[in-house]
Amino acid sequence: MFDQARSETERAVCTAVGSGIRLDLAGRPDRTVRAELLAALLIAGGQPAVRLDHAVVTGTLDLEGRVLDTVLTLRRCTFEQPPRLMRARLIGLSLRGSRLPGLRARNLRVDSDLVLEAGFTSTGPVDLTDATVAGTVRLAGAVLRRPGGAALLAARLRVAGSVSATALRAEGEVRLRGADIGGSVQLTGARLVHPTGHALEAAGLVVAGSLRCDAHGGRFDVAGRVVLAGARIGGDVVFSGARLHDPTDEGGQVSVVPHGSVEGEFVLDAARLKADGDLKLDEGFVAAGAVGLRSARIGGHLLLADATIGRPEVVPALSASFAAGRPVDRVPVALVADGVEVGGDVEARGRAGLHAYGQVRLADAIVHGSVSLSTVRVHGPAVDALFADRLRVGGTLFLRRVRISGSVRLQNAHIGSSLDCSGARLRKPRLRPNGSVKPSLDARAATIGKDLLCGGGFRAAGGVRVRSVEVGKLATFAGARLGGRTGPGHPVPAVALSAYGLTAAELVLTFPSGRPPRGRVVLTRARVVSIVDGSGLYASTGGVDLEDFGYTAIAAAPEVDVRTRLGWLRAVQPDFAPGAYEQLAGTYRAGGDEERARQVQIERQRRRFAELPWPGRMWGRLQEWTVGYGYRPWLAIVWLAVFWLLGTIWFTFHEAQRLDPGTQPVWNPALLATDLVLPIVDLGQDKQWQLTGASQWISAVLIAAGWVLATTAAAGATRVLRRG
């Protein structure tokens, strides 16, 4: 090739290529090598490698469609025009530290490694679309600059080994759509900038190993959007410590519109992602926009500890809407994980916990392990800050000591173990269209395998709705603060606790006496084995609905006598309802405490007759005084004895005249009083004496009293027999 050389430098290149040695042109005054000479040397072949350093390549290196048996190594070279390597086949290609205005290598095939690292710089697109690399692709420390365009085009790239792009700097889109990587993809410490679109577009990416976009050795930083929709990762997906942001005013902001559809672009879109290992968005991960994990499948754990997701700028507008009592139609979201399936745990605990600005969505999600959201901070005033309808958790859902501005919605959720909300503080709940507040915790129709724990300082400004919830063991609200005024000028929620149809083995409703529920407590049709209550429950400002509330054991903390408990019932039921009394009496009776059961039944009858017209009230009073509504039949005997004694005393001092002068009856005041008081018994005394004056009235009173007492005694006996 010496006849084609035009300069001393080119002749040196021909000599070096012919002998197979490396030629370094650094320090030479002339470092120019024509691209056509290099192409001719490569096409001629005969050497296993061409090694050239610090050359300035003029013209276009055109190897399109060529099959070369040479390893091409051009280190720290400068190219005048983008090399053309479309459909070429090389043993190996290294452009380490070189500077190019682009690289055209669609359908390129490299039988070993493709090295574009250590300061490799391109000011045009690096096009590796449909390329195949039998070894690894090395982009560590590369600099790709094409602002506003595509910096790296690697759609459907096939790599047998890994892609190493640590500390990559790319201004423009990095496209890996549909790429198939046999090893791992390393983007640790990379910085990608494409604020007007997708900074990393990797939809449908297939990686046999792990995808690492973390901060170990340098922070992964993206100004733009990251798309992993439909990607399949055989190992972990790691964004630990990464920072994702979209500097445009509207970018990265996603909203849920009234019908539940999602509008906007995610700063990280991993919809339908399938990862066999963990998905790590932790250790200081920051996404200044929404993260989308819709229908993702994660074989390991989803880690969110010490992460910050969402845009803080959305919170002031939501707070203003809440303060004004205006409902929010467009709900800004931080994390959309509807339909996600996690084989392990969802873990958001950490030193700082998870901070989310906007709604966190886990609707229809399936977590085979536990979900730990303890100590998280979710900022979504006036909306459902945590929206997790139909969430399925195999273990426990931890919401311990969370601080949530907004409501928590868990309708139709299924929790295999416990729902632990101990110490949680829920404020600024969602607003209805009419401006009223919705419950701070809404777990309607949920199923909880073990315990529902809402104690230990739990606070819910908008109240709690656990309507038709099934709890396997304990449901406790011990020490909870429910309801209250949610803001200046806001109404107090009408219902502080709605437990309509709740089922549990044990229900604990003990509230501080000085901080009772602010609103109504609804226990209608709830069914529990035992209940522990206290004065704080019955001091609820809206009363307590107890109709058809069923339990088999009841206790108070501290324990109280039956009169105190009856006073509680009178306080919360100004209108008489028999069910609560029947249930309480039945519970005492089942426990062998007949005396307390009788006291409850007497109170029930007393309140029943008190609401009748005056004749009924009088009749009720009479039954209470005489036979205790049938539950104290011995009172009838006492009253009969009293009337008999009074009659005996009267007739002792007021002897009557004989009706028949021909007879000689013996005057016996006691027998006469007995004959008058007992209407059924006939001793014949009242028919032998003529009672006149006051004695006639006394006898009438004794007869009337006898009949009344006998009637009430019969009514009481009938009630006792029917109860038995």
Side-chain angles (χ1 to χ4, degrees):
M1 295 294 177
F2 281 91
D3 57 339
Q4 297 185 23
R6 297 180 181 177
S7 65
E8 187 64 29
T9 299
E10 289 188 347
R11 283 191 288 273
V13 170
C14 291
T15 300
V17 170
S19 60
I21 64 173
R22 178 184 300 279
L23 177 62
D24 189 348
L25 300 179
R28 288 175 176 258
D30 180 14
R31 297 186 292 119
T32 302
V33 178
R34 288 176 295 118
E36 61 187 72
L37 175 63
L38 278 179
L41 291 171
L42 291 168
I43 293 170
Q47 292 298 332
V50 174
R51 302 181 180 91
L52 183 61
D53 295 355
H54 292 100
V56 176
V57 182
T58 61
T60 301
L61 179 61
D62 190 350
L63 298 174
E64 181 176 359
R66 298 293 183 175
V67 178
L68 307 178
D69 57 358
T70 301
V71 175
L72 179 58
T73 303
L74 302 174
R75 298 193 306 180
R76 293 179 290 280
C77 295
T78 302
F79 288 78
E80 185 181 76
Q81 297 294 330
R84 293 173 55 86
L85 304 178
M86 295 86 77
R87 295 180 296 280
R89 180 167 183 173
L90 305 175
I91 298 299
L93 177 61
S94 174
L95 297 173
R96 182 192 303 265
S98 295
R99 300 177 66 86
L100 302 84
L103 177 62
R104 300 173 182 175
R106 295 175 69 94
N107 298 105
L108 170 68
R109 180 177 178 87
V110 180
D111 291 337
S112 58
D113 294 346
L114 174 59
V115 181
L116 308 173
E117 63 180 359
F120 171 87
T121 302
S122 176
T123 56
V126 175
D127 191 351
L128 297 175
T129 304
D130 294 310
T132 301
V133 179
T136 63
V137 175
R138 300 179 184 175
L139 285 160
V143 178
L144 310 179
R145 294 194 180 99
R146 198 184 179 214
L152 174 62
L153 295 170
R156 300 177 299 281
L157 171 68
R158 301 291 183 267
V159 181
S162 297
V163 174
S164 176
T166 55
L168 170 69
R169 298 294 183 265
E171 295 182 25
E173 180 181 341
V174 174
R175 185 179 301 169
L176 292 171
R177 176 186 288 271
D180 191 336
I181 313 301
S184 297
V185 175
Q186 299 280 348
L187 285 164
T188 300
R191 176 170 174 77
L192 312 179
V193 179
H194 189 46
T196 59
H198 299 155
L200 175 60
E201 209 285 76
L205 171 68
V206 178
V207 180
S210 297
L211 171 62
R212 302 193 66 88
C213 302
D214 55 1
H216 294 169
R219 188 169 195 173
F220 179 75
D221 189 292
V222 177
R225 293 186 284 275
V226 176
V227 179
L228 295 173
R232 291 182 293 163
I233 312 299
D236 297 336
V237 179
V238 184
F239 282 87
S240 300
R243 180 172 180 259
L244 313 180
H245 55 101
D246 192 329
T248 60
D249 291 338
E250 70 282 351
Q253 178 58 58
V254 177
S255 298
V256 176
V257 295
H259 296 292
S261 59
V262 177
E263 285 187 351
E265 294 283 349
F266 294 97
V267 72
L268 171 59
D269 186 356
R272 304 179 306 283
L273 168 73
K274 185 179 185 299
D276 293 341
D278 298 338
L279 174 56
K280 300 181 180 181
L281 308 175
D282 59 350
E283 297 182 8
F285 170 81
V286 175
V291 173
L293 301 177
R294 294 165 297 178
S295 302
R297 298 292 180 267
I298 302 167
H301 306 303
L302 172 58
L303 305 180
L304 297 163
D306 298 325
T308 301
I309 302 176
R311 298 170 68 94
E313 308 92 90
V314 306
V315 177
L318 294 177
S319 296
S321 294
F322 182 82
R326 296 192 309 268
V328 177
D329 288 336
R330 304 179 67 87
V331 179
V333 296
L335 174 64
V336 179
D338 294 353
V340 70
E341 182 173 356
V342 181
D345 299 334
V346 175
E347 179 61 70
R349 289 180 296 184
R351 293 184 300 275
L354 167 67
H355 284 258
Y357 297 92
Q359 185 179 79
V360 174
R361 294 181 62 90
L362 290 168
D364 297 298
I366 300 174
V367 180
H368 294 278
S370 295
V371 176
S372 179
L373 301 179
S374 298
T375 71
V376 304
R377 305 290 189 271
V378 184
H379 307 273
V383 302
D384 289 318
L386 175 59
F387 187 94
D389 283 1
R390 300 172 300 280
L391 169 68
R392 299 180 65 85
V393 179
T396 296
L397 174 55
F398 291 99
L399 294 173
R400 296 175 61 89
R401 300 185 304 281
V402 299
R403 300 294 183 266
I404 295 181
S405 180
S407 293
V408 174
R409 179 163 160 161
L410 296 168
Q411 291 185 13
N412 296 287
H414 178 86
I415 313 299
S417 184
S418 299
L419 172 57
D420 189 351
C421 300
S422 303
R425 296 188 179 184
L426 313 178
R427 62 190 188 95
K428 296 185 179 180
R430 177 184 171 187
L431 298 178
R432 295 185 176 91
N434 62 3
S436 62
V437 296
K438 298 199 73 174
S440 289
L441 173 60
D442 185 355
R444 178 172 50 186
T447 302
I448 301 171
K450 292 181 64 178
D451 301 329
L452 170 61
L453 307 175
C454 295
F458 174 80
R459 296 184 182 181
V464 173
R465 177 161 58 187
V466 286
R467 182 185 178 98
S468 301
V469 170
E470 297 179 10
V471 180
K473 293 185 177 179
L474 171 67
T476 178
F477 293 86
R481 296 179 64 177
L482 307 179
R485 195 173 301 280
T486 57
H490 289 191
V492 175
V495 178
L497 173 61
S498 176
Y500 182 101
L502 170 76
T503 60
E506 182 178 359
L507 177 62
V508 179
L509 297 173
T510 54
F511 304 98
S513 57
R515 293 180 301 196
R518 298 290 305 279
R520 190 167 70 255
V521 175
V522 180
L523 299 175
T524 305
R525 296 191 178 180
R527 293 289 183 271
V528 300
V529 177
S530 65
I531 178 174
V532 179
D533 59 7
S535 60
L537 169 64
Y538 300 96
S540 303
T541 59
V544 182
D545 292 346
L546 297 169
E547 189 63 29
D548 201 23
F549 173 42
Y551 52 88
T552 57
I554 190 168
E559 191 55 73
V560 297
D561 57 30
V562 67
R563 293 184 181 276
T564 300
R565 187 169 292 282
L566 291 175
W568 291 346
L569 289 180
R570 284 193 298 271
V572 299
Q573 289 190 321
D575 296 326
F576 171 68
Y581 294 94
E582 291 287 356
Q583 175 63 59
L584 182 60
T587 300
Y588 284 142
R589 189 177 300 110
D593 196 337
E594 287 292 341
E595 177 55 31
R596 288 188 177 183
R598 281 193 294 269
Q599 292 183 57
V600 174
Q601 290 289 20
I602 289 172
E603 176 66 14
R604 181 180 73 88
Q605 293 295 337
R606 182 183 295 122
R607 295 204 61 190
R608 181 173 75 90
F609 281 104
E611 296 192 0
L612 297 176
W614 72 266
R617 293 197 299 271
M618 294 299 296
W619 175 245
R621 288 287 187 180
L622 183 59
Q623 288 201 67
E624 180 182 2
W625 294 337
T626 54
V627 293
Y629 301 108
Y631 297 99
R632 293 175 178 171
W634 52 269
L635 282 176
I637 299 174
V638 171
W639 281 107
L640 285 171
V642 168
F643 279 101
W644 171 83
L645 179 60
L646 292 175
T648 300
I649 294 172
W650 174 265
F651 291 120
T652 298
F653 298 100
H654 300 81
E655 184 175 348
Q657 299 294 323
R658 294 190 297 272
L659 282 175
D660 187 358
T663 61
Q664 298 293 324
V666 178
W667 175 251
N668 191 324
L671 286 179
L672 177 59
T674 302
D675 209 0
L676 293 173
V677 169
L678 298 178
I680 301 176
V681 178
D682 186 5
L683 301 178
Q685 287 293 317
D686 59 338
K687 298 177 181 179
Q688 298 187 40
W689 305 98
Q690 183 178 3
L691 301 177
T692 59
S695 295
Q696 187 175 18
W697 288 103
I698 293 297
S699 66
V701 170
L702 294 176
I703 292 171
W707 277 106
V708 169
L709 289 172
T711 302
T712 54
T718 302
R719 186 177 295 110
V720 171
L721 292 174
R722 184 169 59 248
R723 186 176 70 246

